[in-house]
Amino acid sequence: MAMTRRQRGVAFRRAQYALLFVIIVVVALTANWPQIGRAFFDLDVAAAQFPDVITVALKNTIVFTALGFALGLVLGLVLALMRLSSVAPYRWFARAYIEFFRGLPALLIFLAVGIGIPTAFPGVLLPRNASIMVSLGIVSAAYMAETIRAGIQAVPAGQVEAARSLGMSQGRAMVTIVIPQAFRIILPPLANELIMLTKDSSLAFLLGSTPLQQELAQFSRQALLEARGLTPIVVAGLCYLVITIPLSILQQRLEKKYGAGVPGGAK
């Protein structure tokens, strides 16, 4: 007797649960748990990472992310306004910038800033934090520009028309009416961009560093050379989660409060 659609759905779910149970049993029986414990969860090695992993690596990661996000947000807003400009060269430049930098890996941008600027402008040597801010800002601006542009376009045209009818100029209406409403719409995707920047900050090692300038990824790599096992990576991963999980929760709450936002800056 043929099964109904509901019965087939129940049977399929049961098969999935059974497969998951088999996988868990196989992993539990075949894994070398003592070796895993020594390699990944050595408490003595983990304790040796503190307090430097917090006071140096985690702090630097947060600082680098904040610097890159601040520059990216400002530059992204300028690019978004250029994309919407009635002046054709502005639109062409903004579109070329966005397509170019969204198509390049962040790693190449770090190398270009760290090596290219001193090469192109002899005698010009940016401070390390400035180089990191520029590198992260250049990349994030390309994504945030499209998100901001989509947010601006999502504001009802009637808002601008009402402001103009009250005697506001186009520029004043944009600054006081449109942009504040647009940012309310795009808060969730901007929070997601902040999470992405947190992970991209791991590329700061390409610009060189002293022990006091290391972010989480470089700190854990250095610790691997001095410690047995992979526990430093676990510690660094947990520190990243200390940053990203609250941001993810914030993003979800913003989506519930303001809606899902716009997908214009999705990577």
Side-chain angles (χ1 to χ4, degrees):
M1 181 178 178
M3 292 189 297
T4 65
R5 179 180 298 180
R6 181 175 181 276
Q7 289 173 330
R8 288 196 300 270
V10 171
F12 182 67
R13 286 194 297 272
R14 288 177 177 174
Q16 289 179 309
Y17 286 129
L19 177 61
L20 178 62
F21 177 76
V22 170
I23 293 174
I24 292 174
V25 171
V26 170
V27 171
L29 294 177
T30 58
N32 187 340
W33 294 108
Q35 179 61 27
I36 291 174
R38 289 191 297 271
F40 292 94
F41 305 105
D42 190 319
L43 297 182
D44 292 333
V45 173
Q49 309 306 305
F50 292 87
D52 289 347
V53 70
I54 301 296
T55 59
V56 176
L58 180 60
K59 183 196 73 173
N60 286 338
T61 297
I62 294 173
V63 169
F64 298 159
T65 302
L67 290 174
F69 185 80
L71 178 61
L73 186 60
V74 173
L75 185 55
L77 176 59
V78 173
L79 289 169
L81 294 175
M82 291 176 69
R83 282 277 279 136
L84 298 172
S85 173
S86 59
V87 181
Y90 287 172
R91 297 197 305 271
W92 299 338
F93 174 83
R95 183 168 185 176
Y97 179 101
I98 292 168
E99 296 300 328
F100 181 79
F101 286 106
R102 287 204 304 180
L104 293 179
L107 183 146
L108 291 183
I109 305 303
F110 271 86
L111 291 175
V113 171
I115 301 174
I117 290 180
T119 302
F121 304 96
V124 176
L125 185 62
L126 294 177
R128 185 172 184 272
N129 281 4
S131 296
I132 294 171
M133 179 178 68
V134 170
S135 301
L136 292 175
I138 285 175
V139 175
S140 62
Y143 293 94
M144 285 195 273
E146 285 295 271
T147 300
I148 296 171
R149 179 185 65 83
I152 291 174
Q153 291 180 321
V155 176
Q159 299 281 346
V160 177
E161 294 173 359
R164 295 300 301 275
S165 68
L166 294 175
M168 287 189 183
S169 65
Q170 181 71 27
R172 184 179 177 187
M174 178 66 70
V175 172
T176 61
I177 303 297
V178 177
I179 291 179
Q181 292 189 61
F183 270 90
R184 181 175 176 176
I185 295 171
I186 64 176
L187 279 176
L190 286 183
N192 184 66
E193 180 61 31
L194 190 56
I195 295 173
M196 300 298 294
L197 271 181
T198 301
K199 293 180 285 187
D200 285 345
S201 67
S202 63
L203 295 172
F205 79 94
L206 294 168
L207 301 177
S209 67
T210 66
L212 294 178
Q213 295 174 328
Q214 293 177 345
E215 37 68 45
L216 284 169
Q218 187 176 8
F219 181 88
S220 64
R221 284 194 297 269
Q222 185 63 36
L224 282 175
L225 301 176
E226 304 170 358
R228 60 186 183 277
L230 300 173
T231 301
I233 293 180
V234 175
V235 173
L238 292 175
C239 288
Y240 273 115
L241 293 177
V242 167
I243 303 173
T244 58
I245 289 179
L247 288 175
S248 296
I249 295 173
L250 174 62
Q251 180 189 15
Q252 293 168 8
R253 291 184 176 179
L254 290 173
E255 287 179 354
K256 290 180 180 178
K257 185 172 182 180
Y258 299 120
V262 291
K267 294 187 179 182

